[in-house]
Amino acid sequence: MKQTLTKKMWRETGSAYLFLSPALFVLLLFIIGPIVFAVFLAFHKVQLLGATSFEFVGFDNFTRIANDTRAKIALWNTLKYVVIVVPCQTILALVLAATLNAGLKGERFFRIVYFLPTLTSSAVLTLIFMWMYNQNGLINHVLEAVGLPTYNWLGDPDVALNAIMIMNIWSTAPYFMVIYLAALQDIPDSLYEAAELDGANAWQKFWHVTVPYLRPVTSFVVIMGLIGTFQLFDQSYIFSAGSGGPNNSTLTVVLLIYQYAFKTLGTMGYAAALAFALAIIILIATLLQRKLSKEESLY
């Protein structure tokens, strides 16, 4: 009897792995495999053009990051982008969701309108905003029409990254708004009724009932925002034609990785080291955020 059960268990396990094998193969080939290979490249000097060669250099690629001026600029730009965009898009998403959940007239129409930016591809949105920011674009035409001076939005290093921030806040907030909206509809009405009996106004109900109840959702939104903003690439690439300009003002870590990997000979290993360092930074930021959110929930 025991031997029969063992055979049946092995047969069921084998059948399960047989059905899982296509997914496991794709996972190994396209996710785990590239990660392992990238780690391997990070410790080598790689030459891919001509005669392919891999020269082991240990931690030289990582120590080089500390002396790379462009890497420091890219990291600073990325950190500034993350610190501004993540809180702004989270707050805007929560405000939009709370507004739509208030039962205003035309709620369905506004849901569609607010969500439209998320349906448009990132490249198309970037091209639209480039046209708007252009010296002969929509924004300058509006400024000129009301008698205000025009501005070179894309050519000024002090403004270029801020222009990308505005575009991304506008385009990503609706996605997180839908997540908040689903969570808001799960809040029991009894909590708001109890708050009303205690004399709470609309703002007090929002701050003391809605916000605490949505804390787990906010944690998820912030983590997803952190991961997405640290990986900023396509908008910066399109805005600057791949250069990170003007004057490295839109240079991000991922764009720098691309430049070293595909634009400069013999620096594929260094690009892999930068990618590995960025992954560690994202992991640390995510773990810190999770720890803080758990402490807040305990409090």
Side-chain angles (χ1 to χ4, degrees), residues 51-292:
T52 304
S53 63
F54 300 92
E55 179 187 347
F56 182 76
V57 294
F59 288 92
D60 288 355
N61 287 328
F62 293 95
T63 56
R64 178 179 171 183
I65 297 175
N67 300 318
D68 189 347
T69 303
R70 297 192 76 226
K72 294 176 182 177
I73 294 173
L75 181 59
W76 170 248
N77 289 339
T78 305
L79 288 175
K80 183 166 63 172
Y81 177 84
V82 170
V83 168
I84 294 175
V85 171
V86 172
C88 289
Q89 71 183 11
T90 303
I91 293 170
L92 180 59
L94 178 57
V95 170
L96 291 175
T99 304
L100 291 177
N101 195 56
L104 300 176
K105 199 171 184 180
E107 178 184 322
R108 292 185 179 179
F109 170 76
F110 285 110
R111 284 188 187 185
I112 296 171
V113 171
Y114 288 164
F115 194 68
L116 281 177
T118 306
L119 301 177
T120 310
S121 72
S122 177
V124 174
L125 276 177
T126 305
L127 292 174
I128 292 172
F129 271 81
M130 282 184 69
W131 168 73
M132 292 173 60
Y133 287 133
N134 195 282
Q135 284 189 305
N136 296 318
L138 177 64
I139 295 177
N140 278 342
H141 279 305
V142 172
L143 292 175
E144 190 175 8
V146 297
L148 296 174
T150 58
Y151 201 77
N152 184 12
W153 302 97
L154 299 179
D156 188 345
D158 296 328
V159 177
L161 185 62
N162 296 329
I164 298 178
M165 291 180 187
I166 293 171
M167 181 194 71
N168 275 282
I169 292 169
W170 178 80
S171 62
T172 55
Y175 170 76
F176 297 119
M177 174 199 74
V178 174
I179 298 173
Y180 271 125
L181 190 59
L184 281 169
Q185 293 173 354
D186 286 337
I187 300 178
D189 292 334
S190 58
L191 295 178
Y192 293 110
E193 292 170 0
E196 283 183 7
L197 290 174
D198 290 336
N201 55 32
W203 167 251
Q204 289 172 330
K205 285 190 289 184
F206 175 77
W207 186 250
H208 294 289
V209 178
T210 305
V211 173
Y213 194 90
L214 294 178
R215 192 168 291 151
V217 180
T218 301
S219 178
F220 171 77
V221 168
V222 171
I223 289 173
M224 295 301 294
L226 285 171
I227 295 172
T229 49
F230 268 114
Q231 295 176 346
L232 174 67
F233 169 73
D234 48 352
Q235 296 95 335
S236 180
Y237 180 88
I238 297 172
F239 260 86
S240 64
S243 67
N247 195 26
N248 291 326
S249 61
T250 60
L251 182 66
T252 62
V253 176
V254 179
L255 179 56
L256 185 65
I257 292 169
Y258 167 81
Q259 291 177 352
Y260 278 125
F262 302 107
K263 297 292 185 180
T264 308
L265 294 177
T267 54
M268 178 66 78
Y270 179 55
L274 281 170
F276 187 78
L278 178 62
I280 296 298
I281 292 172
I282 294 175
L283 178 62
I284 292 172
T286 303
L287 292 176
L288 285 174
Q289 200 284 326
R290 288 192 63 185
K291 183 175 177 60
L292 291 173

